[in-house]
């Protein structure tokens, strides 16, 4: 029985599912991610019901909590060159998407045990930011912390991103943070006992215009000042780094061999496990519904499982932060913007760096499992919490990818999905105290780069919270900067 295969595409056994359950990953979405079942060619068609039956039989979940995972297009593995033929009208915004609604979680998934009546720190959002901060607080000795997550771990952008980690930024603050994060990532497996599959194959940024090429050139000087070995490369040298790359319409590129990619999910699990080991409560399927405020302080956080009295609240709800902030009368300037992404069937290793055309936002890399993972922003995408996948995206992406790497036209797309960037007016995060409500700390607005910033930002924020020592990061990126007009825009944004 222990060896009986439940998902033949991804080699998942019944015991793998039991192992996931033993680690607390009991719902279908979490088991899918923790074991990999349903992520292969059949997309769950031959294994979803078997996993559901096993979860019910093992009493891991109540029968009405056994709900299928969100289906991902395309229905069948489909070649990129075929997808590229779907017509796209670039003059109109994208409409719709699959699924049409933002995930609603079955109430049967809500844990039945009571929440603690009080905690020193309540963190709203169990994405990379909330979990990394909770872990770092616990590491600094503060374990009276509760993380509240409305869905499963990985439900937000942290479970939907491309896993790119790069030091190639346009402003000193982000270069420094990313550099520190990548250093911390190197020690993550040792510290947290989980493999995040960090692969430092570099990032190759391509420029189509002289203006963008000049930006890359300016960045090289900045990066080198911080000890980041970025260099400007000619189109020919770029083709040596990525054989088969056409560099069509590109005039220059920059390359930092120390950038790379990671696999996002184990990162979240590693932090969550680290939190729990240190006594921090990480409460999934727990939705924050409101606040009790008096004397200019938040006294209680109200959830669908009851209230928690607290000294400090951290808002780390990613693209949902503005709507949560509104519950306490705080206006944030962030806007959610859908970004779509896809993954292909696995190929033998052929692609070293993550490659990006800065002008169009196209990016693609090869994961450690061999898949091409990539995305491209859509300038017509309206603001809004939309996480649906469109044919328009795969078509635009396939065309742009095949322009640079024509030989992948026959490769099949297995899965596409979407998440929301949490976009601020200057593409920089919102951190630190909230004017007028200073026990509400902000930790949002990470646009398309929160994953790679999280280890360093969380480390600094925990230190700042635990010691009360001043740190210019929390002044520089304070919400106040928008009303005071002291903003420095980050423009190395892709996706
Ligand atoms: C397609 C895509 C590609 C990306 N690629 C990269 C990349 O290559 N590299 C990189 O560094 N970054 C990338 N990003 C950005 C990165 O994923 C985010 O910046 C980062 O994950 C944000 O983390 P977070 O914890 O702030 O937000 P999230 O991960 O979204 O977490 C917020 C959590 O808050 C929860 N929540 C919301 N409302 C409530 C409530 N009322 N009560 C309780 N919980 C609530 C949500 O369910 C969610 O899980 C990408 C993003 C997308 C969408």
């Amino acid at each position: 029985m222990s060896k009986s295969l439940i998902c033949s595409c991804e080699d998942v056994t019944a015991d793998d599912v039991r192992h996931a359950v033993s680690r607390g990953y009991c719902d279908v979405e979490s088991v899918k991610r923790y074991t990999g079942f349903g992520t292969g060619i059949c997309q769950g068609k031959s294994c979803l019901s078997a996993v559901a039956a096993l979860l019910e039989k093992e009493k891991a979940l109540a029968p009405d909590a056994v709900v299928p995972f969100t289906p991902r297009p395309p229905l069948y593995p489909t070649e990129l060159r075929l997808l590229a033929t779907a017509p796209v009208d670039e003059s109109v915004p994208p409409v719709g998407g699959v699924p049409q609604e933002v995930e609603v979680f079955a109430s049967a998934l809500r844990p039945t045990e009571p929440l603690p009546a009080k905690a020193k720190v309540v963190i709203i959002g169990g994405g990379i930011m909330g979990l990394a901060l909770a872990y770092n607080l616990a590491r600094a000795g503060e374990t009276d912390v509760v993380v509240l997550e409305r869905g499963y771990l990985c439900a937000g952008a942290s479970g939907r991103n491309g896993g790119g980690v790069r030091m190639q930024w346009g402003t000193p603050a982000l270069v420094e943070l990313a550099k520190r994060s990548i250093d911390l990532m190197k020690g993550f497996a040792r510290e947290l006992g989980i493999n995040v599959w960090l692969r430092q194959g570099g990032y190759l940024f391509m420029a189509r215009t002289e203006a963008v090429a000049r930006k890359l050139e300016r960045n090289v000087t900045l990066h080198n000042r911080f000890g980041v070995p970025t260099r400007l490369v000619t189109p020919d040298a770029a083709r040596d780094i990525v054989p088969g790359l056409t560099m069509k319409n590109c005039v220059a590129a920059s390359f930092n061999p120390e950038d790379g990619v990671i696999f996002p999910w184990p990162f979240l699990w590693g932090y969550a496990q680290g939190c729990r080991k240190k006594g921090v409560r990480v409460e999934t399927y727990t939705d924050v519904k409101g606040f009790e405020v008096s004397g200019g302080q938040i006294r209680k956080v109200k959830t669908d499982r009851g209230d928690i009295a607290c000294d400090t609240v951290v808002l780390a709800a990613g693209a949902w932060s503005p709507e949560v902030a509104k519950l306490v009368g705080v206006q944030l300037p962030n806007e959610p913007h859908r970004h779509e992404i896809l993954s292909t069937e696995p190929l033998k290793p052929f692609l070293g760096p993550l490659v990006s055309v800065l002008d169009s936002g196209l990016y693609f890399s090869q994961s450690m499992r061999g898949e091409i993972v990539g995305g491209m922003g859509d300038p017509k995408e309206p603001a809004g919490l939309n996480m649906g996948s469109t044919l328009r995206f795969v078509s635009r992406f396939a065309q742009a990818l095949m322009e640079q790497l024509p030989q992948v036209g026959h490769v099949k797309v297995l899965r596409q999905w979407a998440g929301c960037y949490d976009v601020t007016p200057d593409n920089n995060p919102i951190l630190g105290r909230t004017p007028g409500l200073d026990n509400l700390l902000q930790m949002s607005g990470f646009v398309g780069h929160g994953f790679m910033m999280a280890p360093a930002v969380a480390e600094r924020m925990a230190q700042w919270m635990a010691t009360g020592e001043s740190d210019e990061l929390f002044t520089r990126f304070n919400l106040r900067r928008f009303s005071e007009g002291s903003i420095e825009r980050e423009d190395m944004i892709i996706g």
Side-chain angles (χ1 to χ4, degrees), residues 131 134-135 138 147 270-282:
L131 292 171
Y135 175 74
V147 180
Y271 275 133
Q273 277 162 215
C275 282
R276 287 177 172 136
K277 262 195 205 148
K278 289 184 186 295
V280 167
R281 300 235 341 220
V282 178

Side-chain angles (χ1 to χ4, degrees), residues 193-388:
I194 198 161
N195 187 357
V196 291
W197 300 16
L198 170 66
R199 185 171 67 81
Q200 288 178 284
Y203 252 62
L204 181 75
F205 271 117
M206 290 141 69
R208 287 198 138 143
T209 60
E210 288 302 332
V212 175
R214 275 196 300 278
K215 180 158 57 175
L216 294 183
E217 201 175 334
R218 272 196 308 276
N219 286 349
V220 169
T221 313
L222 170 69
H223 300 168
N224 294 172
R225 188 147 59 81
F226 282 91
V228 176
T230 308
R231 60 180 199 268
L232 217 56
V233 290
T234 60
D236 276 346
R239 280 188 282 265
D240 286 342
I241 296 168
V242 180
L245 195 66
T246 63
M247 289 295 285
K248 192 166 173 198
N249 298 326
C250 292
V251 294
S254 69
F255 181 63
N256 171 23
E258 295 184 359
D259 293 337
V261 286
I262 46 125
F263 185 25
W265 299 340
F267 232 103
L268 293 166
W269 301 324
Y271 275 133
Q273 277 162 215
C275 282
R276 287 177 172 136
K277 262 195 205 148
K278 289 184 186 295
V280 167
R281 300 235 341 220
V282 178
E283 300 290 332
T284 52
Y285 296 105
T286 307
D287 199 352
V288 171
K289 298 287 196 189
F291 299 90
E292 192 179 299
V293 179
S294 66
Q297 300 276 310
I298 295 180
R299 306 292 171 183
K300 280 184 181 170
V301 176
K302 296 170 168 292
T303 82
D304 57 0
R305 289 173 60 200
D307 301 351
I308 309 182
C310 53
D311 295 343
T312 302
V313 179
V314 180
L315 180 50
W320 291 264
S321 296
E323 74 179 34
V324 178
K326 218 181 268 171
L327 298 173
V328 70
V330 172
Q331 190 79 27
L332 294 183
N334 324 23
E335 277 187 342
H337 277 264
R338 168 174 62 178
H339 276 259
E340 297 189 56
I341 181 166
L342 60 73
S343 169
T344 68
E345 60 189 332
L347 307 169
K348 283 190 179 157
F350 76 102
L351 180 61
L354 184 148
V355 179
S356 174
V357 179
L358 196 49
D359 314 62
S360 68
L362 168 76
Y363 67 92
F364 55 94
S365 66
Q366 189 173 23
S367 74
M368 292 278 267
R369 298 203 321 183
E371 307 131 328
I372 299 174
V373 175
M376 184 164 84
D378 190 329
K380 290 278 178 198
E381 184 68 47
L385 276 168
N386 179 355
M387 290 199 261

Side-chain angles (χ1 to χ4, degrees), residues 74-122:
L75 202 52
Y76 299 103
T78 309
E79 288 188 1
L80 281 159
R81 64 181 168 193
L82 184 64
L83 293 164
T85 60
V88 172
D89 184 350
E90 296 271 3
S91 67
V92 297
V95 283
V98 179
Q100 281 188 348
E101 306 292 333
V102 174
E103 263 165 320
V104 179
F105 305 105
S107 56
L109 287 163
R110 205 178 296 145
T112 47
E113 69 269 25
L115 288 174
K118 53 181 192 249
K120 268 212 183 113
V121 182
V122 172

